[in-house]
Amino acid sequence: MNAPRLIVAGTPSLDRIEIGGRVLATVGGSGFITAVAARLADITVGLIARVPKALPAEVAVAFAPGGIDPSGLVATNGSLPRFHISYDDSEAASYLAIDSGEESQVGAVDVPRRWLDTDWFHIGPLAASAARQLRFVEGLLGRGYRGGLSAGTFSRAAATEPDTVRRLFDLVDIAFMNQSEADQIYPEGPPAETMVFVTEGRAGVRAWNGSDWAHHPTTGVSAFDPTGAGDAFIGGYLGTMLSGESDPVERGLGTAFEIVAGPGAAPLIHKLRFGTVVEPDTVPTDSRAAAVDVEQTAAVAAALPDVASDSSLDFCGAPFPERDAPHALDALTVGTLHQYGFWIDTDNGYGGPMWATIDGVRRKGSDFIWHAFTRAAADDPAVLEPERLASDPLLFDTICVDDDGVCPVPDVGSHRALQQAYGATIGPLGGVAAIVERSNEAPDPLAALLETLQTVPGFGEDPLAKKANLLALILARRPERFLRPHATEAVAPIVDYHIMRTMLRTGCAGVEDAALREHLEGRTWVSPGIEASVRIAARDAINRLCTTSGLSVGAVDGFLFTLGRTVCLETEPPKCSACPIATACAQDVRLFQPIFRTTAY
């Protein structure tokens, strides 16, 4: 869940272009074009934008797997911006109509917290307002962002808000503008402390390094539509600057040359190559974190045989699909894909669990997801077909909608990205049914299924394979016996945050480091290494509990998961008097699970 290398603030737009006697309907948007151009420089890119819940297909394709990360999209009931632009014979633009849509509401509050660690932010001309850009930058800095910054501007802002534009540019590392805008913003030349690029249309670009101008010409430009050339230059420049693979100015000019060859952003969108490679998480652990307490684990293990047994849960009936429902296999698999992160965060840490009302019933996050996907597949079995999952970046928002008409799931952007990447990968594999059928034909169906899932986005990134093992357990225990044989002794511990919390509070995963204890008790963010250590300690403790007690992983893991949801609670005081292992438990009740955003659990 690393942040993209570059984050761009700006919204796709639906434009009407008049040029050379032609009238074109195109996809544009300054920040959107910059983001697509930067993605073509082979770096990861995210976009901060407010968009309608149903994106036009020509826009949605840019957010397909391998394209722009959709995690920064905020789905609203509004509309995309619309511009009506007319070009004269010299390619000078006149804006005949401007409808900013929801872009006027875009702000730093829309940035996912995990994206504050990105290398670079570029702020496009939000709703053609320098004041909004300035507020965005100030909000970003106020949230603790300390990476690189750049910004562009807009002809109207340069003409009506030159002082505000200058204040904006004083806060960024690189300022981008065209020659007309530069004449109004810096009539006496730019300040020494700001790096400036001034695009000059067919003449190329001038670069100001603080003391001197360098001119970079371009030749042989034949423009079909000049819209977005400057924005494409910005994206090409920033993407190459961050990748370090070639000359950024040369790449920027080349990208500008490419976009003018066709209408709007279409030439650059056409170049995007979509594909997904799952890289297992290899975050190193931190030795200062938690470790298995052998004596405490032995005490808890002695109490388990009287209270823990293999769960009779068959994952059938509400909120799960009914037995023999034709959509059950897909709904269970995609529902498992999204079983993670059901808590609200703040810039400081934990903000509370997710609850939402769906079809008149108030449900916690996990049950909300199960109900939403079961309902969606029952209403339209085709909704979970791989092609649909891969092509619609806001499908998750549509499926997981509560009774107020909004998607309440935290970090919804990561769910969108996983949904699309999963769909793009599962299709060429023949779909879920084919994968399960091939697994059942193998000598060890469980091992075969887990091996395949290691290649599937949403399942393969987690070294502890929580969701992959959960899916195997579900498919084996369903009445249809999707996965054969039914035995699940080889399923690994399914380590989520409820399991970590119970292992910490029982003392099975011991904490000696004072700094870590402060984070856990204060429910504040921890590093990847700390989180990995605590989670691995919890896994190893469960394995030891199983070995010592003679119980299966399903029995121990299931008991502790239920304990965490009903007794050893998140936001209420633990009900220790009702705990069946209270006499063996360390009752270290101030401890909490590590606060860390991940798609693993």
Side-chain angles (χ1 to χ4, degrees), residues 191-503:
E193 59 271 18
T194 303
M195 186 175 183
V196 175
F197 285 94
V198 177
T199 55
E200 301 180 306
R202 294 174 182 270
V205 64
R206 288 187 298 132
W208 171 256
N209 63 9
S211 58
D212 298 302
W213 286 102
H215 181 245
H216 302 270
T218 185
T219 59
V221 177
S222 177
F224 177 87
D225 174 12
T227 309
D231 304 311
F233 170 82
I234 295 171
Y237 179 89
L238 292 176
T240 308
M241 177 190 76
L242 292 170
S243 71
E245 294 184 356
S246 59
D247 176 53
V249 173
E250 181 179 344
R251 180 60 178 265
L253 288 172
T255 309
F257 181 86
E258 291 175 340
I259 196 172
V260 301
L268 300 188
I269 294 174
H270 183 72
K271 283 194 67 175
L272 284 176
R273 294 181 175 89
F274 303 116
T276 302
V277 177
V278 176
E279 297 289 349
D281 192 343
T282 57
V283 174
T285 59
D286 190 315
S287 59
R288 299 172 302 163
V292 176
D293 186 317
V294 176
E295 292 184 5
Q296 186 61 24
T297 303
V300 172
L304 287 177
D306 293 332
V307 296
S309 61
D310 273 316
S311 171
S312 60
L313 179 64
D314 62 3
F315 303 94
C316 187
F320 306 100
E322 297 294 338
R323 179 173 183 163
D324 297 324
H327 58 272
L329 186 55
D330 282 325
L332 291 166
T333 305
V334 182
T336 304
L337 173 77
H338 293 290
Q339 287 295 314
Y340 69 89
F342 303 125
W343 51 280
I344 300 163
D345 63 38
T346 70
D347 284 351
N348 294 321
Y350 183 78
M354 173 201 155
W355 285 90
T357 300
I358 183 169
D359 290 336
V361 179
R362 188 169 182 262
R363 297 183 183 273
K364 209 167 184 292
S366 177
D367 289 342
F368 178 93
I369 290 290
W370 287 125
H371 183 91
F373 277 94
T374 297
R375 177 183 67 179
D379 291 344
D380 177 13
V383 75
L384 299 182
E385 290 181 352
E387 183 178 354
R388 177 82 180 275
L389 293 169
S391 64
D392 187 343
L394 297 179
L395 181 61
F396 179 86
D397 303 61
T398 303
I399 291 174
C400 297
V401 62
D402 64 16
D403 287 356
D404 292 328
V406 300
C407 176
V409 180
D411 192 29
V412 65
S414 68
H415 289 273
R416 297 171 187 148
L418 279 190
Q419 165 218 301
Q420 291 190 272
Y422 166 86
T425 303
I426 210 77
L429 294 176
V432 177
I435 291 172
V436 173
E437 183 178 355
R438 289 194 295 268
S439 298
N440 283 326
E441 292 171 352
D444 186 338
L446 174 61
L449 177 65
L450 294 177
E451 182 178 1
T452 299
L453 290 177
Q454 287 178 356
T455 69
V456 177
F459 292 99
E461 301 90 344
D462 180 10
L464 271 62
K466 175 257 183 180
K467 288 187 288 185
N469 281 283
L470 174 60
L471 179 61
L473 190 69
I474 291 171
L475 299 186
R477 288 186 170 177
R478 279 282 297 194
E480 300 93 336
R481 301 294 185 261
F482 289 119
L483 184 67
R484 300 183 298 272
H486 180 48
T488 55
E489 287 80 3
V491 170
I494 300 167
V495 185
D496 68 355
Y497 50 83
H498 295 300
I499 296 296
M500 284 192 281
R501 187 172 65 257
T502 55
M503 287 293 88

Side-chain angles (χ1 to χ4, degrees), residues 16-72:
R16 182 183 179 189
I17 308 296
E18 296 183 14
I19 182 170
R22 303 185 303 266
V23 178
L24 310 171
T26 68
V27 174
S30 178
F32 178 66
I33 289 173
T34 295
V36 175
R39 183 67 189 93
L40 290 170
D42 292 326
I43 66 163
T44 50
V45 179
L47 188 74
I48 305 297
R50 296 199 171 206
V51 299
K53 295 176 181 178
L55 283 176
E58 60 270 31
V59 174
V61 68
F63 297 95
I68 302 171
D69 189 325
S71 299

